[in-house]
Coordinates of all heavy atoms in Angstrom, one line a residue:
M158 N 17.2 -48.2 150.7 CA 18.2 -49.2 150.8 C 19.0 -49.0 152.2 O 19.3 -50.0 152.9 CB 19.2 -49.1 149.7 CG 20.3 -50.2 149.6 SD 21.3 -50.1 148.2 CE 20.1 -50.5 146.9
Y159 N 19.3 -47.8 152.5 CA 20.0 -47.5 153.7 C 19.2 -48.0 155.0 O 19.7 -48.6 155.9 CB 20.3 -46.0 153.8 CG 20.9 -45.5 155.0 CD1 22.2 -45.9 155.4 CD2 20.2 -44.7 155.9 CE1 22.8 -45.4 156.6 CE2 20.8 -44.2 157.1 CZ 22.1 -44.6 157.4 OH 22.6 -44.2 158.6
V160 N 17.9 -47.7 155.0 CA 17.0 -48.1 156.1 C 16.9 -49.6 156.2 O 17.0 -50.2 157.2 CB 15.7 -47.4 156.0 CG1 14.7 -47.9 157.1 CG2 15.8 -45.9 156.1
S161 N 16.7 -50.2 155.0 CA 16.6 -51.7 154.9 C 17.8 -52.4 155.5 O 17.7 -53.3 156.3 CB 16.3 -52.1 153.5 OG 15.1 -51.5 153.0
Y162 N 19.0 -51.9 155.1 CA 20.2 -52.5 155.5 C 20.4 -52.3 157.1 O 20.8 -53.3 157.8 CB 21.5 -51.9 154.9 CG 21.6 -52.3 153.4 CD1 22.4 -51.5 152.6 CD2 21.1 -53.4 152.9 CE1 22.6 -51.9 151.3 CE2 21.2 -53.8 151.6 CZ 22.0 -53.0 150.8 OH 22.2 -53.4 149.5
S163 N 20.0 -51.2 157.6 CA 20.1 -51.0 159.0 C 19.2 -51.9 159.8 O 19.5 -52.4 160.9 CB 19.7 -49.5 159.3 OG 20.6 -48.6 158.7
I164 N 18.0 -52.2 159.2 CA 17.0 -53.1 159.9 C 17.6 -54.6 159.9 O 17.6 -55.3 160.9 CB 15.7 -53.1 159.3 CG1 15.0 -51.7 159.5 CG2 14.7 -54.2 159.8 CD1 13.7 -51.4 158.8
I165 N 18.1 -55.0 158.7 CA 18.7 -56.3 158.5 C 19.8 -56.5 159.5 O 20.1 -57.6 160.0 CB 19.0 -56.6 157.0 CG1 17.8 -56.5 156.2 CG2 19.8 -57.9 156.9 CD1 18.1 -56.6 154.7
F166 N 20.6 -55.4 159.7 CA 21.8 -55.5 160.6 C 21.3 -56.0 162.0 O 22.1 -56.8 162.6 CB 22.4 -54.1 160.7 CG 23.4 -54.0 161.8 CD1 24.7 -54.3 161.6 CD2 23.0 -53.5 163.1 CE1 25.6 -54.2 162.6 CE2 23.9 -53.3 164.1 CZ 25.2 -53.7 163.9
H167 N 20.2 -55.6 162.5 CA 19.7 -56.0 163.8 C 19.4 -57.5 163.8 O 19.7 -58.2 164.8 CB 18.5 -55.2 164.2 CG 18.9 -53.8 164.7 ND1 19.5 -53.5 165.9 CD2 18.8 -52.6 164.0 CE1 19.7 -52.2 166.0 NE2 19.3 -51.6 164.8
F168 N 18.8 -58.0 162.8 CA 18.4 -59.4 162.7 C 19.6 -60.3 162.7 O 19.7 -61.3 163.4 CB 17.5 -59.7 161.5 CG 16.1 -59.2 161.6 CD1 15.7 -58.0 160.9 CD2 15.2 -59.9 162.3 CE1 14.4 -57.6 161.0 CE2 13.9 -59.5 162.4 CZ 13.5 -58.3 161.8
I169 N 20.7 -59.9 161.9 CA 21.9 -60.7 161.9 C 22.7 -60.6 163.2 O 23.2 -61.5 163.7 CB 22.8 -60.2 160.7 CG1 22.0 -60.5 159.4 CG2 24.1 -60.9 160.7 CD1 22.8 -60.0 158.1
A170 N 22.6 -59.4 163.8 CA 23.3 -59.2 165.1 C 22.6 -60.1 166.2 O 23.3 -60.7 167.0 CB 23.3 -57.7 165.5
D171 N 21.3 -60.2 166.2 CA 20.5 -61.0 167.1 C 20.9 -62.5 166.8 O 21.0 -63.3 167.7 CB 19.0 -60.8 166.9 CG 18.6 -59.5 167.5 OD1 19.3 -58.9 168.3 OD2 17.5 -59.0 167.1
Y172 N 21.1 -62.9 165.5 CA 21.4 -64.2 165.2 C 22.8 -64.6 165.7 O 23.0 -65.8 166.2 CB 21.5 -64.4 163.6 CG 22.0 -65.6 163.1 CD1 21.3 -66.8 163.1 CD2 23.3 -65.7 162.6 CE1 21.8 -68.0 162.7 CE2 23.8 -66.9 162.1 CZ 23.1 -68.0 162.2 OH 23.6 -69.2 161.7
E173 N 23.7 -63.6 165.8 CA 25.0 -63.9 166.4 C 25.1 -63.6 167.9 O 26.1 -63.8 168.5 CB 26.1 -63.0 165.7 CG 26.3 -63.3 164.2 CD 27.4 -62.5 163.6 OE1 27.9 -61.6 164.3 OE2 27.8 -62.8 162.5
G174 N 23.9 -63.3 168.5 CA 23.8 -63.1 169.9 C 24.4 -61.8 170.4 O 24.8 -61.7 171.6
V175 N 24.4 -60.8 169.6 CA 24.9 -59.5 170.0 C 23.8 -58.5 170.0 O 23.0 -58.5 169.0 CB 26.0 -59.0 169.0 CG1 26.6 -57.7 169.5 CG2 27.2 -60.1 169.0
D176 N 23.7 -57.6 171.0 CA 22.7 -56.6 171.0 C 23.2 -55.2 170.7 O 24.2 -54.8 171.4 CB 22.1 -56.6 172.5 CG 20.9 -55.7 172.6 OD1 20.2 -55.5 171.5 OD2 20.6 -55.1 173.6
H177 N 22.7 -54.6 169.7 CA 23.1 -53.2 169.3 C 21.9 -52.3 169.3 O 20.7 -52.7 169.0 CB 23.7 -53.2 167.9 CG 25.1 -53.9 167.9 ND1 26.2 -53.4 168.5 CD2 25.5 -55.0 167.2 CE1 27.2 -54.2 168.3 NE2 26.8 -55.2 167.5
S178 N 22.1 -51.0 169.5 CA 21.0 -50.0 169.4 C 20.7 -49.7 168.0 O 21.5 -50.0 167.0 CB 21.4 -48.7 170.1 OG 22.5 -48.1 169.4
W179 N 19.5 -49.1 167.8 CA 19.1 -48.7 166.4 C 20.1 -47.7 165.8 O 20.4 -47.8 164.6 CB 17.7 -48.1 166.4 CG 16.7 -49.2 166.5 CD1 16.0 -49.5 167.6 CD2 16.2 -50.1 165.5 NE1 15.1 -50.6 167.4 CE2 15.3 -50.9 166.1 CE3 16.6 -50.3 164.2 CZ2 14.6 -51.9 165.3 CZ3 15.9 -51.2 163.4 CH2 15.0 -52.1 164.0
L180 N 20.6 -46.8 166.6 CA 21.6 -45.8 166.1 C 22.9 -46.5 165.7 O 23.5 -46.1 164.7 CB 21.9 -44.8 167.3 CG 22.9 -43.7 166.9 CD1 22.4 -42.9 165.7 CD2 23.2 -42.8 168.1
T181 N 23.3 -47.6 166.4 CA 24.5 -48.3 166.0 C 24.2 -49.0 164.6 O 25.2 -49.0 163.8 CB 24.8 -49.4 167.0 OG1 25.0 -48.8 168.3 CG2 26.0 -50.2 166.6
G182 N 23.0 -49.5 164.3 CA 22.7 -50.1 163.0 C 22.8 -49.1 161.9 O 23.4 -49.4 160.9
F183 N 22.3 -47.9 162.1 CA 22.4 -46.8 161.1 C 23.9 -46.4 160.9 O 24.4 -46.2 159.8 CB 21.6 -45.6 161.5 CG 20.1 -45.8 161.3 CD1 19.3 -45.8 162.4 CD2 19.6 -46.0 160.0 CE1 17.9 -46.0 162.2 CE2 18.2 -46.2 159.9 CZ 17.4 -46.2 161.0
Y184 N 24.6 -46.4 162.0 CA 26.1 -46.0 162.0 C 26.8 -47.0 161.2 O 27.6 -46.7 160.3 CB 26.6 -45.9 163.4 CG 28.1 -46.0 163.6 CD1 28.9 -44.9 163.3 CD2 28.7 -47.2 164.0 CE1 30.3 -44.9 163.4 CE2 30.1 -47.2 164.1 CZ 30.9 -46.1 163.8 OH 32.2 -46.2 163.9
W185 N 26.6 -48.3 161.5 CA 27.4 -49.4 160.8 C 27.1 -49.4 159.3 O 28.0 -49.5 158.4 CB 27.0 -50.8 161.4 CG 27.7 -51.9 160.7 CD1 28.9 -52.4 160.9 CD2 27.2 -52.6 159.6 NE1 29.2 -53.4 160.1 CE2 28.2 -53.6 159.2 CE3 26.0 -52.6 158.8 CZ2 28.0 -54.5 158.2 CZ3 25.9 -53.5 157.8 CH2 26.8 -54.4 157.5
T186 N 25.8 -49.2 158.9 CA 25.4 -49.2 157.5 C 26.1 -48.0 156.8 O 26.6 -48.2 155.7 CB 23.9 -49.1 157.4 OG1 23.3 -50.1 158.1 CG2 23.5 -49.1 155.9
L187 N 26.1 -46.8 157.4 CA 26.7 -45.7 156.8 C 28.2 -45.9 156.6 O 28.8 -45.6 155.5 CB 26.4 -44.4 157.6 CG 27.0 -43.1 157.1 CD1 26.5 -42.8 155.7 CD2 26.8 -42.0 158.1
V188 N 28.9 -46.4 157.6 CA 30.3 -46.6 157.6 C 30.7 -47.6 156.5 O 31.6 -47.5 155.7 CB 30.8 -47.1 158.9 CG1 32.3 -47.6 158.8 CG2 30.8 -45.9 159.9
T189 N 29.9 -48.7 156.4 CA 30.2 -49.7 155.4 C 29.9 -49.3 154.0 O 30.7 -49.5 153.1 CB 29.3 -51.0 155.7 OG1 29.6 -51.4 157.1 CG2 29.7 -52.2 154.8
M190 N 28.7 -48.7 153.8 CA 28.3 -48.2 152.4 C 29.3 -47.1 151.9 O 29.5 -47.0 150.7 CB 26.9 -47.7 152.4 CG 25.9 -48.8 152.5 SD 24.2 -48.2 152.3 CE 24.2 -47.9 150.5
G196 N 35.9 -50.8 161.3 CA 36.2 -52.1 161.9 C 35.9 -52.3 163.3 O 36.3 -53.3 163.9
D197 N 35.2 -51.3 163.9 CA 34.8 -51.5 165.3 C 33.6 -52.4 165.5 O 33.4 -52.9 166.6 CB 34.5 -50.1 165.9 CG 33.5 -49.3 165.1 OD1 33.3 -49.7 163.9 OD2 33.0 -48.3 165.6
I198 N 32.8 -52.6 164.5 CA 31.7 -53.5 164.6 C 31.8 -54.5 163.4 O 31.8 -54.0 162.2 CB 30.4 -52.8 164.5 CG1 30.3 -51.7 165.6 CG2 29.2 -53.8 164.5 CD1 29.0 -50.9 165.6
V199 N 32.0 -55.8 163.6 CA 32.1 -56.8 162.6 C 31.3 -58.0 162.9 O 31.0 -58.3 164.1 CB 33.6 -57.2 162.4 CG1 34.5 -56.0 162.0 CG2 34.1 -57.8 163.7
F200 N 30.9 -58.7 161.8 CA 30.1 -59.9 162.0 C 31.1 -61.1 161.9 O 32.2 -61.0 161.3 CB 29.1 -60.1 160.8 CG 28.0 -59.1 160.9 CD1 27.7 -58.2 159.9 CD2 27.1 -59.2 162.0 CE1 26.7 -57.3 160.0 CE2 26.0 -58.3 162.0 CZ 25.8 -57.4 161.0
T201 N 30.8 -62.1 162.7 CA 31.7 -63.3 162.8 C 31.1 -64.5 162.0 O 31.9 -65.4 161.6 CB 31.8 -63.7 164.2 OG1 30.6 -63.9 164.8 CG2 32.6 -62.6 165.0
S202 N 29.8 -64.5 161.7 CA 29.2 -65.6 160.9 C 29.4 -65.4 159.4 O 29.6 -64.3 158.9 CB 27.8 -65.8 161.3 OG 27.0 -64.6 160.9
I204 N 26.9 -65.7 157.2 CA 25.8 -64.9 156.7 C 26.0 -63.4 157.0 O 25.6 -62.6 156.2 CB 24.5 -65.4 157.4 CG1 23.3 -64.7 156.7 CG2 24.5 -65.2 158.9 CD1 21.9 -65.3 157.1
G205 N 26.6 -63.1 158.1 CA 26.9 -61.7 158.5 C 28.0 -61.1 157.5 O 27.9 -60.0 157.1
R206 N 29.0 -61.9 157.2 CA 30.0 -61.5 156.3 C 29.5 -61.3 154.9 O 29.8 -60.4 154.1 CB 31.2 -62.4 156.3 CG 32.0 -62.3 157.6 CD 33.0 -63.4 157.8 NE 33.8 -63.2 159.1 CZ 34.5 -64.2 159.6 NH1 34.6 -65.4 159.0 NH2 35.2 -63.9 160.7
F208 N 26.4 -60.6 154.1 CA 25.6 -59.4 154.2 C 26.5 -58.1 154.1 O 26.2 -57.1 153.4 CB 24.7 -59.3 155.4 CG 24.0 -58.1 155.6 CD1 23.0 -57.6 154.7 CD2 24.3 -57.2 156.7 CE1 22.3 -56.4 154.9 CE2 23.6 -56.0 156.9 CZ 22.6 -55.6 156.0
S209 N 27.6 -58.2 154.8 CA 28.6 -57.0 154.8 C 29.1 -56.8 153.3 O 29.3 -55.7 152.9 CB 29.7 -57.3 155.7 OG 29.3 -57.5 157.0
V212 N 26.3 -55.0 151.3 CA 26.3 -53.6 151.7 C 27.5 -52.9 151.1 O 27.3 -51.7 150.6 CB 26.2 -53.5 153.2 CG1 26.3 -52.0 153.6 CG2 25.0 -54.1 153.8

Side-chain angles (χ1 to χ4, degrees):
M158 185 177 293
Y159 174 68
V160 172
S161 300
Y162 286 161
S163 299
I164 294 173
I165 295 172
F166 169 84
H167 286 282
F168 285 102
I169 297 177
D171 289 340
Y172 172 77
E173 293 185 354
V175 181
D176 186 29
H177 291 294
S178 66
W179 283 102
L180 182 61
T181 302
F183 287 114
Y184 162 78
W185 178 88
T186 304
L187 179 62
V188 168
T189 306
M190 289 189 71
D197 52 344
I198 302 174
V199 295
F200 290 117
T201 56
S202 64
I204 190 171
R206 288 169 177 166
F208 174 65
S209 299
V212 175

